[in-house]
Amino acid sequence: MSNRPLLVFDFDGVIVDGMEEYWWSACLACLRLSAADGMRHQVPNRVPDGFRQLRPWIHHGWEMVLMASLLQERDGLLQRIGVDAFVAAYSEHCRQALEARDWSPQQLQEALEHVRHSAMAEDRSTWLNRHRPFAGVPQRLRSLASEGVDWAVLTTKGRAFTAELLDAFDLQPALLFGHEAGSKPDVLQRLIAEQSLCGFVEDRLATLETVLATPGLRSLPCFLAEWGYLRPSDRQALPQGVQLLALTQFAAPLADWT
Ligand SMILES: [Mg+2]
């Protein structure tokens, strides 16, 4: 492990915009899960507005599969109550929707990862092309080395898919942790015990709040990536310890971020 300070980055919504792929793979995972019931759905090409609106609440990959199912359901819960009411009790509504379908998070996650593995094996370039790095972000990550800083990726995505994408963008983080490594606060706790961390950049405010409430991580500089999948209210009244990071600021030297 290097002695250089480490800056840790979330992946989806911070380094890469994979909205097209999230929708496509979540729909295919739904198809896979529904095939047993004899149900057939088309995968709509266009990402529905509802999916984009729901994305900021999504924490784990399996939730995308559930959202794709809810969005394609006729006269279902989401259609009846709308996105705003759904996200007002997001966890409870997810629980109800899983129960109604007799699905488990693990089953959904496996279906999603199966779709991604198949897509990578069958047509890697088409799968990769459903993702876009955010403008200027890869260049900025590469330039961190000149400031004496190493960078790492910490994501709830599978490690193998993240590694493929990083490779396609010609990005080589010092460390890479997928969901297999444990929760983000747990991984950060292990890292901070071993080396100096100069910050965590993430686009999910709830994750930053959990990190700051974790013993040993209270003083970790936390940055909310403004260019990512933010909820409409996230920019207002940020909790103490969380700083909003705009792309222009991200492009500036690290010493000027705070
Ligand atoms: Mg994210």
Side-chain angles (χ1 to χ4, degrees):
M1 196 154 287
S2 127
N3 287 327
R4 288 145 63 101
L6 189 71
L7 187 55
V8 184
F9 291 86
D10 172 33
F11 189 65
D12 291 291
V14 171
I15 296 175
V16 70
D17 176 14
M19 193 64 81
E20 258 185 61
E21 194 274 349
Y22 311 147
W23 174 245
W24 178 85
S25 57
C27 286
L28 278 185
C30 276
L31 262 177
R32 201 178 147 74
L33 288 158
S34 308
D37 320 331
M39 287 170 68
R40 288 286 178 274
H41 306 282
Q42 293 294 318
V43 175
N45 274 331
R46 207 186 127 266
V47 181
D49 292 341
F51 190 74
R52 291 181 192 279
Q53 286 163 17
L54 288 161
R55 183 59 184 80
W57 276 267
I58 291 173
H59 187 200
H60 299 104
W62 65 263
E63 294 162 51
M64 298 195 292
V65 183
L66 189 61
M67 296 310 128
S69 170
L70 281 158
L71 283 161
Q72 291 178 90
E73 191 178 35
R74 252 179 232 152
D75 306 321
L77 175 68
L78 197 51
Q79 284 71 21
R80 285 200 309 276
I81 69 172
V83 169
D84 289 344
F86 186 90
V87 298
Y90 180 79
S91 301
E92 175 55 21
H93 286 136
C94 285
R95 195 194 58 75
Q96 283 174 19
L98 282 173
E99 205 174 274
R101 289 160 175 74
D102 198 21
W103 283 350
S104 70
Q106 190 194 2
Q107 193 182 2
L108 271 59
Q109 189 72 34
E110 280 169 10
L112 178 69
E113 301 207 348
H114 176 91
V115 166
R116 284 180 169 161
H117 276 299
S118 303
M120 260 166 47
E122 286 158 21
D123 192 351
R124 184 175 179 271
S125 64
T126 302
W127 182 76
L128 290 171
N129 283 334
R130 292 195 169 100
H131 303 82
R132 313 242 175 290
F134 288 100
V137 170
Q139 294 83 339
R140 180 66 186 103
L141 291 172
R142 283 185 214 111
S143 74
L144 284 169
S146 66
E147 290 173 80
V149 170
D150 281 341
W151 63 279
V153 171
L154 174 56
T155 173
T156 54
K157 210 186 194 80
R159 191 183 192 283
F161 310 118
T162 312
E164 281 285 332
L165 288 160
L166 286 165
D167 187 51
F169 304 148
D170 195 22
L171 288 169
Q172 287 93 29
L175 297 164
L176 165 59
F177 304 94
H179 67 73
E180 303 88 347
S183 75
K184 290 181 177 180
D186 286 352
V187 173
L188 289 169
Q189 252 185 338
R190 294 203 301 268
L191 280 173
I192 212 165
E194 291 170 359
Q195 71 186 107
S196 146
L197 298 189
C198 49
F200 177 40
V201 183
E202 159 74 57
D203 71 325
R204 188 171 176 273
L205 183 57
T207 299
L208 293 176
E209 288 172 330
T210 310
V211 163
L212 286 169
T214 303
L217 300 177
R218 273 174 242 275
S219 55
L220 177 68
C222 283
F223 300 96
L224 183 68
E226 200 191 22
W227 58 90
Y229 309 128
L230 268 55
R231 296 173 299 188
S233 63
D234 285 347
R235 288 175 178 80
Q236 290 121 38
L238 284 176
Q240 203 180 4
V242 178
Q243 193 193 312
L244 194 64
L245 186 67
L247 263 180
T248 46
Q249 216 173 351
F250 177 55
L254 190 52
D256 298 344
W257 284 18
T258 47

